[in-house]
């Protein structure tokens, strides 16, 4: 009797190993398919292409004039901000963003425009989170644009939406757009 039990245990152990190997092969094949799917789609399956490149636009058309708003107004949603406290999105000018805040006054229109741009573009391209407005002082491969909640956001160029999801990490809606034929 004990010999039959050993054979049965050995057989069950063999079956378990077979299932583990099968599951491992399934996971590996799934990963390989996922890695190579884009190449397969590009070579076999016709994919949608974006319209020809015809220039870029700002991703946000209007932003608040932050320097003219009260602290309570800073908390308002986009549609609740009075139109006289909205403006076309300020031009991104790295030299002006790098001007230290201490050098800017509160009365000259030009100083207020720079202050507003520094608030709107809180982290410049390749900047850091020190709010110093300096490009290439960090590793942030983007430009952060401060906007109120519910601000409409647009693609910067013709493109195809590759992915759309809601991030649970606190960044909200996450959209990846493929821009074909955009000059570098």
């Amino acid at each position: 009797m004990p010999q039959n039990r050993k054979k049965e245990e050995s057989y069950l152990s063999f079956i378990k190993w077979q299932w583990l190997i099968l599951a491992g092969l399934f996971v590996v094949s799934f990963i390989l398919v996922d890695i190579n799917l884009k190449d397969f789609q590009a070579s076999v399956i016709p994919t949608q292409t974006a319209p020809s490149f015809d220039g870029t636009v700002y991703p946000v058309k209007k932003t608040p004039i932050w320097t003219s708003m009260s602290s309570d107004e800073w908390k308002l949603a986009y549609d609740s901000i009075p139109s006289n406290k909205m403006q076309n999105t300020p031009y991104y000018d790295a030299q002006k963003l790098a001007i230290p805040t201490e050098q800017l006054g509160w009365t000259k229109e030009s100083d207020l425009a720079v202050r507003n741009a520094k608030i709107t573009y809180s982290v410049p391209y390749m900047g850091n989170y020190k709010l110093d407005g300096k490009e290439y002082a960090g590793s942030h491969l983007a430009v952060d644009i401060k906007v109120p909640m519910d601000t409409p956001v647009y693609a910067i160029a013709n493109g195809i939406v590759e992915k759309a999801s809601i991030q649970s990490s606190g960044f909200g809606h996450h959209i990846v757009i493929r821009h074909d034929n955009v000059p570098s």
Side-chain angles (χ1 to χ4, degrees), residues 3-147:
Q3 200 171 21
N4 283 344
R5 190 173 199 174
K6 282 185 180 179
K7 283 183 182 179
E8 189 177 310
E9 286 176 4
S10 176
Y11 178 74
L12 288 175
S13 176
F14 177 72
I15 295 293
K16 286 179 187 176
W17 275 108
Q18 280 184 329
W19 278 107
L20 282 172
I21 290 170
L22 187 62
L25 287 172
F26 177 75
V27 167
V28 167
S29 63
F30 182 77
I31 290 170
L32 289 173
V33 166
D34 189 51
I35 289 170
N36 294 305
L37 187 61
K38 288 287 183 203
D39 292 335
F40 176 74
Q41 284 178 335
S43 64
V44 178
I45 301 171
T47 57
Q48 189 176 9
T49 56
S52 299
F53 176 76
D54 63 356
T56 59
V57 297
Y58 275 80
V60 179
K61 293 186 189 298
K62 298 272 186 188
T63 56
I65 304 170
W66 299 105
T67 55
S68 72
M69 295 172 59
S70 69
S71 57
D72 287 337
E73 288 174 319
W74 274 50
K75 300 171 191 169
L76 294 175
Y78 181 83
D79 290 336
S80 300
I81 297 173
S83 61
N84 66 334
K85 296 201 176 184
M86 296 294 285
Q87 66 178 352
N88 291 331
T89 302
Y91 179 72
Y92 180 89
D93 183 341
Q95 290 178 335
K96 287 185 179 176
L97 294 176
I99 296 172
T101 308
E102 300 80 34
Q103 292 180 8
L104 300 170
W106 285 99
T107 55
K108 283 178 43 179
E109 193 65 37
S110 59
D111 285 354
L112 291 174
V114 173
R115 281 183 183 277
N116 192 59
K118 287 175 75 69
I119 295 168
T120 302
Y121 300 110
S122 56
V123 179
Y125 180 71
M126 288 289 290
N128 54 44
Y129 290 94
K130 294 180 181 177
L131 304 177
D132 57 8
K134 294 179 183 172
E135 284 190 324
Y136 302 102
S139 59
H140 185 61
L141 285 173
V143 174
D144 285 359
I145 303 173
K146 181 180 180 59
V147 294

